[in-house]
Amino acid sequence: MIARVCNLLQHSLKLALPVFLGEAETRECVYYNDNWRTERTNQSGFERCEGEKDKRLHCYASWLNSSGTIKLVKKGCWLDDFNCYDRQECVSMEENPQVFFCCCEGNYCNERFTHLPDMIGSGNRVKIRPPPRVPSLLNVLVYSLLPLCVLSLALLLALWMYRHRKPPYGHVDLSEDPGPAPPSPLVGLKPLQLLEIKARGRFGCVWKAQLMSKYVAVKIFPFQNKQSWQNERDIFLTPGMRHENLLRYIAAEKHGTNLETELWIITEFHERGSLTDHLKGNAISWNELCHIAETMSRGLAYLHEDIPSYKGEGPKPTIAHRDFKSKNVLLRDDLTAVIGDFGLAVRFEPGKPPGDTHGQVGTRRYMAPEVLEGAINFQRDSFLRIDMYAMGLVLWELVARCSEADGESNGERMYLATQGKLPGVLKRVGLEFDVISD
C-alpha cells in the first residue's frame, strides 16, 4: 500500500514539475470520438501524446452548438500549433463558427471547454495566462531591456525604409494580397490535419489530409506561385464547373504571412491517384480502357463546352486546360476519370480577352508541334486543338498498357472500337482517328 502511494505521488510530481518550472508540458489529454463506431476506435478515455522532441504538444476539443444543445465531436492530442501556445484553458475565440474548436497546453486541459462570447455574456471574464514562472535576475534583465531593444530596432528600421523607399524584397511584392478566400461551407471546419505528401509538381505539392471524418486533397502553393493558385481558384469558381468528370472543389485558403505564406486549394481525394500512377503498376482490360477513355473525354468535352446558362448561375464559358496529361487525370475507385489541375487553364468569355494566352506552356512531352515550333494561332479553337492533341497521346498511353485477350491485338481492338461507342464520344469532343488496314 505504501509503495502504491509513493508511485502515485511520484507520477503527480512528474506531471506538476513542468508547471513549477514555467513550462506547461502536455503528456496526456482527455480523449473522445463521436464517430468511434465508424473509425473503430475507443469512444472515450485518455490519450498519450507523442511527437518530436523539439515540437510542443497540446490538447484540443471540437463541438457543435445547435440552438443551445452542445454535441461533442472529438477530443484528444493536437500537434505543434503556435495558436495554442501558453493557453491553459480550452476556449474558442471565433465569433460564430460552424464547428467550435479550442486548444490548450497542460495535461487534461481539454476536459472543460467553452466559447468566449458565451462566457462574456454570462458575466464571466476569461483570462488565459501563461504558467507562473520563477522570477530570476536574468528574467528581470530581459524584460527590462527587451522593450528598449525593440523600440531601437523599430526606429532604425523605419529610418532605413524611409531613406531607401523601396520594398525590401526585389521580385516579390509583399504588399500585394492574393485576395480573400472564397466563401465555402467547409472553410471553417476544424481540425484539418495534413497526413502525407502524395505528389509534387513545379507549382507546389499535394497532401493527403483528414477533414473531420473523411479524407481530402490539399494542394499547397508557395507564395511565389500565387498567380497559379489564383488562376486555379478562379477556374474552380467559374459558373458551371460542377461535373462528374471534373475534380470537385471544396475551398481555398491562405496561411501564414509574408514570404512564409502558403496558398491552399482543398479538393476531393481519390485514393487511386493519377492515371499515370495506375498505368505504371497495372495493365488494363479493353473494357477498362473504354470506360477510362469515355469518362475522360466527357470531362474534357464539358470543359470545352460553352453553356449559355447553368441552373441560374450564369453562363459557363469555354475553358482550355493547356496542361492535359495522364498525371492530371485522376481515377475513382471504379476507374472513372476525373480531370484536375487547372493552374494553366484559360477561359474564353464572349467579349472579354482570355487573359494570359502565352503559347508555350504545359508539359513538353504533351505539346502539339505548333506549340513547340512557336507557330500557334492565339485563337480559341487553337487552344482547344492543343488539348485534343494531348488527349490523343493519353489515349495512346492507355492502348499501350491494354492487355490482349482472345487473340486480338491492340490494333485489332482499335479497329473494332471504330464500330462502337468510343469514336462517337471522341468525335463529339473534336478528336477523330483513321484506322489503316491492309
Side-chain angles (χ1 to χ4, degrees):
M1 185 69 179
I2 296 176
R4 211 171 151 191
V5 172
C6 291
N7 291 335
L8 182 61
L9 289 174
Q10 184 179 5
H11 181 68
S12 301
L13 287 174
K14 286 183 179 179
L15 296 178
L17 185 57
V19 177
F20 294 143
L21 297 178
E23 179 183 359
E25 186 177 2
T26 305
R27 296 183 178 179
E28 293 185 353
C29 297
V30 177
Y31 174 81
Y32 179 83
N33 187 0
D34 187 55
N35 298 324
W36 64 280
R37 291 188 179 90
T38 304
E39 301 179 8
R40 298 180 179 179
T41 62
N42 296 331
Q43 182 179 14
S44 60
F46 300 98
E47 183 179 5
R48 184 74 176 179
C49 300
E50 297 180 355
E52 300 179 10
K53 294 183 179 180
D54 57 339
K55 301 292 184 180
R56 296 171 70 164
L57 301 174
H58 323 284
C59 300
Y60 82 95
S62 60
W63 69 95
L64 300 171
N65 188 347
S66 178
S67 302
T69 302
I70 303 299
K71 179 184 178 182
L72 183 60
V73 178
K74 279 189 176 182
K75 281 185 176 183
C77 296
W78 189 248
L79 301 179
D80 192 353
D81 190 342
F82 69 92
N83 294 312
C84 310
Y85 286 1
D86 299 330
R87 294 195 177 192
Q88 297 183 21
E89 299 178 18
C90 201
V91 180
S92 175
M93 297 295 184
E94 300 181 10
E95 292 185 2
N96 189 22
Q98 293 186 355
V99 176
F100 292 85
F101 174 82
C102 66
C103 57
C104 55
E105 288 188 335
N107 295 314
Y108 315 114
C109 64
N110 64 335
E111 182 176 6
R112 296 182 180 181
F113 55 91
T114 187
H115 187 218
L116 182 59
D118 295 340
M119 296 188 67
I120 295 176
S122 61
N124 298 325
R125 297 183 65 185
V126 178
K127 294 183 179 180
I128 303 178
R129 298 177 178 176
R133 299 182 179 274
V134 179
S136 64
L137 180 59
L138 180 60
N139 290 338
V140 173
L141 291 176
V142 170
Y143 288 128
S144 300
L145 298 178
L146 184 60
L148 295 176
C149 294
V150 172
L151 181 59
S152 301
L153 290 175
L155 292 175
L156 291 174
L157 181 61
L159 181 61
W160 184 85
M161 293 184 65
Y162 175 77
R163 288 184 176 181
H164 289 77
R165 296 189 179 183
K166 62 182 179 180
Y169 300 94
H171 63 282
V172 180
D173 186 7
L174 297 182
S175 63
E176 186 176 358
D177 190 6
S184 172
L186 295 179
V187 170
L189 290 185
K190 294 180 179 179
L192 187 152
Q193 285 191 291
L194 303 177
L195 301 178
E196 60 175 323
I197 294 179
K198 303 298 289 187
R200 293 181 183 271
R202 55 185 164 182
F203 295 121
C205 58
V206 179
W207 284 76
K208 177 182 179 181
Q210 185 170 4
L211 181 63
M212 303 302 290
S213 60
K214 58 184 178 182
Y215 295 117
V216 296
V218 180
K219 189 175 182 180
I220 300 180
F221 299 78
F223 185 84
Q224 290 79 0
N225 295 332
K226 177 193 65 177
Q227 187 62 40
S228 180
W229 171 83
Q230 193 166 6
N231 186 73
E232 185 162 4
R233 182 194 66 174
D234 293 342
I235 293 294
F236 273 123
L237 293 177
T238 302
M241 277 295 290
R242 285 191 296 273
H243 189 267
E244 61 180 351
N245 301 122
L246 298 180
L247 185 62
R248 186 173 66 87
Y249 167 82
I250 298 177
E253 297 181 349
K254 174 185 174 184
H255 296 263
T257 57
N258 296 339
L259 287 179
E260 297 180 357
T261 299
E262 290 183 348
L263 306 172
W264 291 14
I265 287 184
I266 306 173
T267 62
E268 63 181 346
F269 177 76
H270 298 290
E271 188 65 44
R272 282 187 179 270
S274 68
L275 179 59
T276 299
D277 299 331
H278 185 73
L279 294 180
K280 283 181 179 178
N282 303 276
I284 57 176
S285 65
W286 179 249
N287 291 333
E288 292 173 340
L289 185 150
C290 290
H291 179 67
I292 295 174
E294 181 180 4
T295 53
M296 178 179 64
S297 302
R298 290 185 186 277
L300 190 59
Y302 182 82
L303 195 67
H304 287 179
E305 192 174 0
D306 186 2
I307 303 176
S309 61
Y310 183 85
K311 298 181 181 180
E313 291 186 5
K316 175 203 166 293
T318 295
I319 299 175
H321 193 282
R322 297 209 299 170
D323 194 19
F324 193 86
K325 55 186 177 181
S326 56
K327 194 173 183 179
N328 291 336
V329 177
L330 305 176
L331 295 179
R332 293 197 175 100
D333 292 336
D334 61 351
L335 295 183
T336 298
V338 177
I339 300 175
D341 196 346
F342 301 102
L344 295 176
V346 61
R347 293 179 292 191
F348 295 92
E349 302 183 32
K352 295 182 180 180
D356 180 17
T357 54
H358 188 274
Q360 289 184 320
V361 297
T363 303
R364 184 174 297 274
R365 178 182 176 184
Y366 294 85
M367 285 184 179
E370 62 269 24
V371 178
L372 294 173
E373 295 173 0
I376 180 174
N377 182 11
F378 292 92
Q379 300 296 328
R380 168 183 174 272
D381 292 343
S382 299
F383 287 98
L384 301 187
R385 292 191 188 101
I386 292 171
D387 282 351
M388 299 315 304
Y389 180 90
M391 194 183 78
L393 295 180
V394 175
L395 291 175
W396 182 258
E397 292 182 50
L398 287 170
V399 173
R401 291 294 290 161
C402 181
S403 60
E404 298 180 353
D406 300 330
E408 295 173 354
S409 66
N410 291 338
E412 291 172 331
R413 290 179 179 276
M414 185 64 78
Y415 176 78
L416 293 175
T418 61
Q419 313 301 322
K421 63 181 180 179
L422 179 57
V425 176
L426 300 180
K427 188 174 182 180
R428 287 198 296 274
V429 300
L431 180 65
E432 302 181 37
F433 56 86
D434 297 325
V435 177
I436 301 176
S437 58
D438 295 335

